[in-house]
Amino acid sequence: MRKIAIWYNPNTRVYFYKVYYDFFNKYYLHKKNQYGHEIILVIDLDQIINKPSMLKKVLSRFIRFLQKINKRL
């Protein structure tokens, strides 16, 4: 199953994502990696979107939305 993890870097206030397969990696909310980046959202792609072009469009809009919210804070 394909999933997306939305990460947040508190040092630079940047959001980014990583597409991964659930077979190997088990990401969960509020998990932090060794760089201090934190997972804020996990999305199951197989249940939502099946088209790759639609996926890129949705992700880019979601990241822009998060950046706008972050700039207002």
Side-chain angles (χ1 to χ4, degrees):
M1 293 175 48
R2 292 183 312 161
K3 293 189 178 186
I4 295 180
I6 306 291
W7 294 82
Y8 175 65
N9 183 350
N11 298 328
T12 59
R13 294 184 165 180
V14 173
Y15 295 91
F16 59 96
Y17 68 93
K18 179 179 179 182
V19 178
Y20 70 95
Y21 289 92
D22 196 24
F23 300 117
F24 304 109
N25 298 329
K26 300 289 183 184
Y27 292 128
Y28 51 89
L29 292 179
H30 304 294
K31 176 183 177 182
K32 290 190 177 185
N33 64 6
Q34 68 268 24
Y35 304 111
H37 304 161
E38 181 178 1
I39 293 179
I40 60 167
L41 182 64
V42 177
I43 303 170
D44 187 9
L45 290 178
D46 292 332
Q47 294 180 356
I48 298 175
I49 302 171
N50 291 328
K51 295 181 181 179
S53 61
M54 184 68 167
L55 169 65
K56 289 182 182 179
K57 190 181 292 186
V58 168
L59 284 176
S60 64
R61 287 183 183 178
F62 185 69
I63 295 293
R64 280 197 312 247
F65 172 72
L66 290 174
Q67 293 290 356
K68 286 181 183 179
I69 289 174
N70 196 19
K71 287 182 182 179
R72 292 180 187 168
L73 297 177

